[in-house]
């Protein structure tokens, strides 16, 4: 089978993007069927400013997706911004059925607060792809009107090296990053 970290990153990217599409579609259906008489605002997915997090050591900006990649580890951080929703509403769609239908095993769910006070949720899960074990984090952080969504994936084989660095990066979330353009 394929052994290169670049192949792992490609497989991870395809899986992340396909899960992202399913998760977005699933949450929209859930919102629309809650109460047909209520006015529903459908979340809009846009590119997140990659400066909203400090990437872990060794991660570089990807030229294939919005986020960061670590070629040697076969790890990726895909970033999106969901407008017109908050992470508490997104939590309603993160059900056992969501994880099961995406062939994910939920390991942990917890609340967190980033260093600057931004609140959010972290879901840690595992999955198997092409016979290899992977770890996937879904991170949702934001305010009343928007949510930063991180899909972080890496091979389980590098967990001891990558996991603590990923958690440090999550702690750095800042929805209003300082721009270098005005300096």
């Amino acid at each position: 089978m394929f052994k290169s970290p670049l192949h792992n990153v490609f497989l991870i990217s395809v899986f992340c993007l396909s899960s992202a599409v399913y998760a977005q579609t699933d949450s929209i259906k859930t919102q629309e069927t809650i109460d047909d008489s209520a006015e529903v605002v459908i979340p809009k997915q846009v590119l997140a400013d990659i400066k909203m997090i400090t990437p872990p050591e060794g991660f570089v900006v990807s030229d294939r997706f919005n986020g960061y990649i670590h070629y040697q580890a076969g790890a990726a951080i895909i970033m999106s911004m969901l407008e017109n929703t908050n992470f508490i509403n997104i939590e309603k769609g993160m059900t056992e059925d969501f994880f099961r239908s995406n062939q994910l095993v939920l390991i942990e769910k917890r609340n967190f607060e980033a260093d600057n006070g931004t609140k959010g949720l972290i879901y840690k899960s595992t999955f198997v792809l092409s016979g290899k074990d992977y770890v996937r984090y879904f991170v949702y952080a934001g305010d009343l009107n928007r949510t930063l969504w991180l899909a972080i994936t890496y091979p389980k084989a590098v967990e001891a090296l990558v996991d603590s660095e990923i958690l440090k990066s999550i702690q750095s979330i800042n929805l209003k990053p300082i721009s270098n353009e005005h300096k």
Side-chain angles (χ1 to χ4, degrees), residues 88 103 109 151:
I88 294 170
Q103 300 177 342
K109 170 193 166 189

Side-chain angles (χ1 to χ4, degrees), residues 110-122 170-171 173:
R110 66 183 166 96
N111 294 312
F112 80 98
E113 187 171 328
D115 294 339
N116 74 347
T118 301
K119 294 180 180 354
L121 290 167
I122 298 173
I170 292 169
Q171 280 301 125
I173 289 174

Side-chain angles (χ1 to χ4, degrees), residues 19-168:
S19 286
V21 169
Y22 176 82
Q24 184 66 18
T25 303
D26 188 50
S27 65
I28 290 171
K29 286 181 184 173
T30 301
Q31 287 182 354
E32 288 176 346
T33 58
I34 289 172
D35 181 357
D36 290 335
S37 66
E39 185 176 323
V40 177
V41 177
I42 297 175
K44 178 181 176 186
Q45 184 175 345
V46 297
L47 295 178
D49 183 342
I50 61 171
K51 292 178 275 184
M52 289 182 170
I53 66 168
T54 301
E57 177 96 21
F59 280 71
V60 295
V61 175
S62 173
D63 61 354
R64 296 181 183 202
F65 55 85
N66 192 57
Y68 297 95
I69 192 166
H70 192 292
Y71 290 102
Q72 292 77 17
I77 302 172
I78 298 175
M79 301 175 65
S80 293
M81 182 61 73
L82 302 175
E83 295 182 348
N84 305 321
T85 193
N86 60 64
F87 68 87
I88 294 170
N89 286 333
I90 293 170
E91 179 180 20
K92 296 172 187 171
M94 300 299 288
T95 62
E96 288 180 25
D97 185 51
F98 167 83
F99 286 96
R100 186 175 35 259
S101 65
N102 284 287
Q103 300 177 342
L104 297 163
V105 176
L106 179 62
I107 302 300
E108 174 187 21
K109 170 193 166 189
R110 66 183 166 96
N111 294 312
F112 80 98
E113 187 171 328
D115 294 339
N116 74 347
T118 301
K119 294 180 180 354
L121 290 167
I122 298 173
Y123 295 86
K124 184 178 183 180
S125 61
T126 60
F127 65 95
V128 178
L129 182 63
S130 299
K132 290 188 178 186
D133 294 327
Y134 289 90
V135 174
R136 159 83 47 79
Y137 279 101
F138 292 100
V139 179
Y140 302 102
D143 55 28
L144 288 172
N145 302 310
R146 62 189 182 143
T147 298
L148 175 64
W149 172 17
L150 306 178
I152 305 168
T153 307
Y154 58 84
K156 187 142 177 69
V158 298
E159 184 171 30
L161 299 173
V162 174
D163 200 63
S164 64
E165 295 301 314
I166 293 291
L167 293 173
K168 285 181 200 172

